[in-house]
Amino acid sequence: AQRVTQPEKLLSVFKGAPVELKCNYSYSGSPELFWYVQYSRQRLQLLLRHISRESIKGFTADLNKGETSFHLKKPFAQEEDSAMYYCALSTQTGANNLFFGTGTRLTVIP
Amino acid sequence: DAGVTQSPTHLIKTRGQQVTLRCSPKSGHDTVSWYQQALGQGPQFIFQYYEEEERQRGNFPDRFSGHQFPNYSSELNVNALLLGDSALYLCASSPLPGGNEQFFGPGTRLTVL
């Protein structure tokens, strides 16, 4: 069975400080990993996916198969980064059935 | 394009009743997925519809059923409501059954009393 764990429900950092949101997964196959974000009063939206290896809004995430992790990082947090972040896993490349973690609420303190 | 739309916004039902939630996908999208998000939890996959058929299903009982119409819109039906069915129900659409970004709707908040 697959599982996504986000150990921090809440995370607060000061503006300009580095931020790392942790995500660990368990799955016996080769998963596809995603980060979704929900800003205040907005819909859940895709932030980035590991296969694209892009940097979106300054965020990056590297899939570490050895540690089964997909941590989200940004070197300098901005106030507009305050949001709810969800790590998600898909068990097949090209599948839409996402398995989500419980989410981390990031607050960037001005 | 309004993106993914869902109706109603809020709904209150009592135990044992039945409910139908509706979703219209983003223009150009033909695949619809439904998720249940309980308070404090991440979304949980219920099922996915493509070409008017259920293609994938998560770990939800048969009380949860769905339908997709020729115009790609979809309904989620829940029978014999339980208190534990109280949640935010999210609809997501994508242009293909797999390999693409999912676009989420605003959700329908269901409260079962």
Side-chain angles (χ1 to χ4, degrees), chain A residues 4-11 20-25 35 71 87 101-104:
Chain A
V4 176
T5 303
Q6 293 181 252
E8 305 138 327
K9 275 200 156 331
L10 303 170
L11 182 64
E20 182 180 49
L21 289 84
K22 290 184 168 51
C23 172
N24 287 91
Y25 67 91
W35 277 99
H71 303 328
C87 182
T102 52
T104 297

Side-chain angles (χ1 to χ4, degrees), chain A residues 29-104:
Chain A
S30 292
E32 188 171 353
L33 275 296
F34 306 81
W35 277 99
Y36 276 78
V37 61
Q38 187 166 26
Y39 301 102
S40 178
R41 286 185 283 277
Q42 292 189 30
R43 305 171 183 204
L44 197 59
Q45 57 186 286
L46 178 67
L47 180 63
L48 55 80
R49 57 199 303 177
H50 88 272
I51 61 170
S52 61
R53 304 184 68 80
E54 292 176 306
S55 172
I56 307 294
K57 298 184 179 182
F59 283 98
T60 58
D62 290 318
L63 179 60
N64 186 324
K65 293 186 178 180
E67 296 182 358
T68 60
S69 68
F70 188 57
H71 303 328
L72 183 68
K73 300 177 184 179
K74 185 170 183 177
F76 308 104
Q78 303 298 315
E79 288 179 65
E80 55 266 28
D81 296 330
S82 294
M84 193 74 179
Y85 291 81
Y86 293 96
C87 182
L89 174 155
S90 176
T91 56
Q92 317 166 38
T93 299
N96 282 131
N97 53 331
L98 294 170
F99 296 89
F100 285 84
T102 52
T104 297

Side-chain angles (χ1 to χ4, degrees), chain B residues 59-89:
Chain B
N59 189 24
F60 278 81
D62 292 344
R63 297 187 297 110
F64 290 76
S65 63
H67 189 76
Q68 186 177 35
F69 298 94
N71 66 353
Y72 310 124
S73 66
S74 177
E75 288 181 349
L76 164 65
N77 301 292
V78 187
N79 294 322
L81 284 167
L82 304 174
L83 296 180
D85 295 332
S86 295
L88 181 69
Y89 287 85

Side-chain angles (χ1 to χ4, degrees), chain B residues 23-30 32 52 68-74:
Chain B
C23 170
S24 290
K26 183 178 169 64
S27 178
H29 289 184
D30 57 9
V32 173
E52 302 179 46
Q68 186 177 35
F69 298 94
N71 66 353
Y72 310 124
S73 66
S74 177

